[in-house]
Amino acid sequence: MARWLIILMIFNTSINSEESSILFSTEDAKEYELRKRGNQGQGLFKDGKFLKFYPIVSRQDLNRLLVDLDKYSLSDEQRNKLKTELLSTYNDELRPATDEQLIETSFALSKLAEKTLANKEVECNEENGIKTPTNKTKKNEEYVYCECELPKDIKLALNDNSSAPSFDGEYWDDYSLVGNVEESSLRINTSNDNHLHGLFSKAGGQDLDGNDRGRTFGLNLDYSLIGSEGEFRVNYESVIFTQLKEADKDGYYYVNEDGEFLQDLLERNRLDVSLRRLMDKDKYLIVGVELEQLTDDGKVAGPIQRAWHKINKKNIQYDNQDYRDDEINLTVYGGLGKSWMKDIGNWKCTSKIEGTLGQNILNFDDTYIKARGEVEFNSNDLLGGREENPFVLLSAWAEGSLETEGDYTTGAGVTMSFPRQLGKWEIKPEVGFSIKDEKEDRYFSQAQSTKLEPESHIGITFSRKF
């Protein structure tokens, strides 16, 4: 009997050691109890009824229990006391392993792994006389050599960047032909031999004004995309050359029944797409293609001139004649360019020079070589401006070419512009003058005008910086 009593006391002591409890109450007068169940975890009871069991085998489990207890309306004193008791209870059980224990465990696992790998692999079913068929897969083995162990004519690809290509950023990061885009701009420019589109004549300059003969009116649209590695350009030009239909008697011209003068008109439309790609900080490669149309049936500049004259009935009215067939030319060209900058007092000077060679692929007898120079003066801080937003820009250009058809061409011009900054946008009104001598100018000037007339330009450029 005494022996059974001793066993019962031992059993009761064991249970009490495994199931310790923590009592706490909430602000709404509810009684709760946490009962520890050995090393398995804590059970939560409310008014003696079981609510939830929290297994605790790691500090993460303990933290989860502490966070869950915050959901109950505990006072700060109760909450701090409860956390202190729980942390104290599991402090020893969840203490992290020491360095010595980790090292001993790693050695033990290493020995166990060596022993396991040395034994023949036996399937679980093989003891019962059943072996599961398996497909043997070829193992991929990698060998690492020291470079000193290789033959002299072999080097590790890892140490030779040229033999270990990387495609990171090779295509998409440099997809743009001009590199990182910095600025784009659109320029709208009109030209007329009646200077300032007639305003000069009304201001008293009739003697120096144009006469609607030869190069008469033009429209230019220029788009450019400037980047860190170059510039992409799209240029469109529509210009008309005209002469009146002469009667047999000198000084007389034909008119129709509406009193409109019969006129031969040649409209030249050009679309030029080019790329200037940097080769060095101040040298660049030029490639481009130009599509040209020559027609007496004007579609752009011709109708604009006719509409402009009809606005004011006092202007001379024209009736354009059908006198020639259309002509199409497609020219590819390439060349080199160089640019440089220099400070001249308050002005910053930017200069460019380009040389190109072109071939008309629709007429192989038509080839040209061309040179062009440009210079731009930035007024910098003059008159309250600054380099990024100067008060005025002065630019001049000159060009010349030798052609197998048309002999030669020359041209020169000057432009004054007034840029104004509006955030990332820049608006630049401009006015200028130019004179050109091309085969169309010479053909239409010889008949009724013995001189090449200068033409004035009015335009505006919209630019955005990135």
Side-chain angles (χ1 to χ4, degrees), residues 413-436:
V414 61
T415 301
M416 179 181 293
S417 58
F418 304 89
R420 291 295 173 263
Q421 202 77 27
L422 298 174
K424 292 185 177 181
W425 287 90
E426 180 187 73
I427 299 178
K428 186 166 61 177
E430 63 181 37
V431 61
F433 290 89
S434 68
I435 185 168
K436 297 177 182 178

Side-chain angles (χ1 to χ4, degrees), residues 245 263-265 295-297 319-326:
K245 281 281 189 179
Q263 175 179 252
D264 288 342
L265 177 144
T295 178
D296 60 7
D297 185 18
D319 181 11
N320 297 327
Q321 302 299 296
D322 182 7
Y323 72 98
R324 60 163 291 162
D325 295 330
D326 290 354

Side-chain angles (χ1 to χ4, degrees), residues 15 51 268 431:
I15 291 178
L51 293 180
R268 187 181 71 189
V431 61

Side-chain angles (χ1 to χ4, degrees), residues 65-245:
L65 169 60
L66 294 174
V67 171
D68 213 22
L69 291 177
D70 288 336
K71 299 177 182 177
Y72 298 93
S73 55
L74 299 172
S75 64
D76 293 340
E77 183 181 356
Q78 283 270 29
R79 186 180 293 104
N80 294 333
K81 181 179 178 182
L82 193 59
K83 291 183 178 181
T84 301
E85 292 186 14
L86 286 172
L87 291 172
S88 176
T89 300
Y90 288 97
N91 187 49
D92 293 334
E93 297 179 11
L94 301 181
R95 182 172 295 167
T98 63
D99 294 342
E100 291 78 6
Q101 291 172 334
L102 292 174
I103 294 173
E104 291 177 359
T105 303
S106 64
F107 276 117
L109 290 175
S110 177
K111 291 181 180 180
L112 180 61
E114 291 178 0
K115 183 178 179 182
T116 303
L117 293 174
N119 296 332
K120 179 182 178 181
E121 294 182 1
V122 179
E123 290 193 42
C124 298
N125 294 330
E126 194 170 348
E127 296 178 354
N128 300 326
I130 303 173
K131 187 170 184 179
T132 305
T134 58
N135 296 325
K136 292 185 178 181
T137 58
K138 184 178 179 181
K139 295 182 179 180
N140 293 326
E141 297 181 349
E142 296 182 356
Y143 299 92
V144 179
Y145 297 96
C146 174
E147 189 172 0
C148 59
E149 297 175 354
L150 298 175
K152 292 183 178 180
D153 57 343
I154 298 178
K155 295 184 67 177
L156 285 176
L158 185 61
N159 293 333
D160 186 0
N161 292 331
S162 62
S163 60
S166 171
F167 297 101
D168 292 342
E170 183 173 348
Y171 298 104
W172 293 111
D173 291 348
D174 195 27
Y175 183 75
S176 171
L177 294 175
V178 297
N180 295 324
V181 176
E182 299 173 350
E183 181 181 350
S184 66
S185 66
L186 175 64
R187 176 174 178 255
I188 304 172
N189 181 273
T190 58
S191 60
N192 202 319
D193 66 341
N194 293 319
H195 301 312
L196 303 180
H197 299 301
L199 294 178
F200 182 76
S201 175
K202 291 183 178 181
Q206 294 91 342
D207 295 339
L208 300 176
D209 206 19
N211 59 2
D212 279 352
R213 306 291 183 268
R215 185 185 294 260
T216 304
F217 172 77
L219 171 68
N220 292 80
L221 300 175
D222 303 320
Y223 174 77
S224 67
L225 191 65
I226 302 173
S228 58
E229 300 296 329
E231 180 181 2
F232 175 73
R233 295 182 184 177
V234 179
N235 306 110
Y236 174 76
E237 174 203 59
S238 181
V239 60
I240 56 174
F241 305 85
T242 61
Q243 64 181 9
L244 297 180
K245 281 281 189 179

Side-chain angles (χ1 to χ4, degrees), residues 21-55:
S21 64
I22 302 175
L23 297 174
F24 64 94
S25 59
T26 60
E27 293 180 351
D28 55 359
K30 301 292 184 180
E31 297 293 333
Y32 290 87
E33 182 182 3
L34 281 173
R35 297 179 187 176
K36 183 181 180 186
R37 183 60 181 171
N39 295 326
Q40 298 177 5
Q42 295 277 353
L44 179 64
F45 293 82
K46 176 183 177 183
D47 295 331
K49 295 182 180 180
F50 175 75
L51 293 180
K52 188 175 181 180
F53 180 74
Y54 294 91

Side-chain angles (χ1 to χ4, degrees), residues 359-372:
Q359 173 63 58
N360 186 350
I361 62 175
L362 300 182
N363 179 7
F364 282 94
D365 293 330
D366 185 11
T367 306
Y368 73 81
I369 182 171
K370 181 178 179 180
R372 179 182 175 90

